[in-house]
Amino acid sequence: MAELNANMINREELREYLNPVYDLERLISRVVYHTANPRDLIAFKTSLQMLPAIKTLMNDFSSDLLCKLNRDLDTLDDICDLIERAIEDDPPISVREGGMIKDGYNPEVDRLRKAKTEGKSWLAKVEEEEREKTGIKNLRIRFNKVFGYYLEVTNSFKDLVPDYYTRKQTLTNAERYITPELKELEETILGAEDKLTALEYDLFCQVRSEIAAQVERIQTTAKAVAALDVFASLAAVASANNYVRPKINEKGVLKIKNGRHPVVERMMNNDMFIANDTFLDCKNNRISIITGPNMAGKSTYMRQNALIVLMAQIGSFVPAEKANIGIVDRIFTRVGASDDLASGQNTFMVEMTEVANILRNATGSSLLILDEIGRGTSTIDGLAIAWAVVEHISNPKVLGAKTLFATHYHELTELEGKLSNVHNYCIAVKEKGDDIVFLRKIIPGGADKSYGIQVAKLAGLPNIVIDRAKAICEELEQSNLNNITRNLDVGALTDAATRRKPDDVDLAQISLFDTVKDDDIIKELSEIDLAHITPFDAMNKLYELQNKVRNRW
């Protein structure tokens, strides 16, 4: 691809010749299974006509891969010539209607086609010749469904009828005759259309079978053309969008300098896309925990890295300033929210099923893209699952895959100090009073909040809801959730909750690790004399304490 990228003139000329080429593998499969119609063969011929020019251009390239493709590319001149001689340039779709075999390809087709179109002139010629031979001036050639074509002679000229006339019918004023020549002409004219249609079908099937017999040659050429089309297209895109040639390593290192998303950057005007760096390896940088507000660019960042790895491994240049890509065996992603209600799976169940599939099938050489694991359930359950998943992935004896893990559970940032191969990154945000500006730059460190209320404001939530959310958030930050739920205006809290989407962050998230002060319950537990209490009394006491805990939550 590097050579195609460097030779712009030859590459663009090559793409012009490749543009009219149809899907040769699809067309030859239709030919082999005898489902190809005449227009399929014309499309096939049109494609083959481009091959000589493509092969001529390929002679100018010297890289090993392009030279191999050039050797595999057969111009298939004999097949192209066969279709050119046999099939009309604008044939019908159906193979049973005729009109698809060219004039000059088969003598019998030419004769039958001529009989179909020139039958009347042939009859007129025979009629004129018989008048001159016999001297019967009013001799006529007529037709009916019973006798077919016949010569009709009036009684006044009956004496001039020659011996080779065979009488077929006597009328009051005339006699009707046939001759061997007229009977042969009748068979030719009357059966011409049906015979022509049947003969054209047989000839078409013969041509199709001759092409099918060359399937191996055609498939080899088709694969070479397809590969060349892919590489030329990738080279054109790379040249137009300033992609670079990546280095490939087998050490598992993923190092990208100023990587970009190949699609998103094209959708943004004035080069507004913010490029970001990435570094992952199989040692101390296996997992990146990425935090930051919604809409700040976490998902875009993670997906662009997956795309860059994929593009590098198919032989493409990549959207980055520099890239050193370690070979991966698979790329696994768990991104977005979806459900499958018809089979009884809600959003969280679908998410967990996909995570389970990833953990069962990924290896230490895989790349994992995980976005918001555990968001579909309660905060405690979701955090516990996300925490356990990160621990599982980080352990090289269990999995040890390179992973980009985006989350709103800021508690996961504590793993950076507990797991040696986990590192925190976040999206830079600039605050302007109550508003925020997304800088979309990945920087080391963890975010301390999600800016959910500010994002909700950007989304257009009513001001009354935003103001109430701010008040609740302040109270939650100043006190523990256990006391706050007693002091908050329950009605206002309920009103806010009814407007909350199911996937929003639970209100308990901010104060998840606050300590609940249940000193009286602890004191009561410590005063129980376990040596002298009966099992029945112990059950009653446990039930009493359990109710106290439930009432407080």
Side-chain angles (χ1 to χ4, degrees), residues 421-468:
N421 50 22
V422 174
H423 295 275
N424 293 329
Y425 294 89
C426 64
I427 306 292
V429 175
K430 184 176 183 180
E431 297 187 59
K432 290 184 176 181
D434 290 339
D435 298 324
I436 57 173
V437 176
F438 301 135
L439 301 181
R440 306 191 188 282
K441 194 69 177 177
I442 299 291
I443 59 175
D448 56 355
K449 55 183 177 179
S450 292
Y451 300 95
I453 295 175
Q454 289 87 337
V455 174
K457 182 179 179 181
L458 291 175
L461 259 65
N463 289 334
I464 187 172
V465 176
I466 297 298
D467 293 341
R468 179 57 181 159

Side-chain angles (χ1 to χ4, degrees), residues 357-372:
N357 177 66
I358 292 172
L359 297 183
R360 282 196 301 266
N361 294 288
T363 71
S365 298
S366 301
L367 174 64
L368 277 53
I369 306 297
L370 303 177
D371 195 2
E372 304 294 350

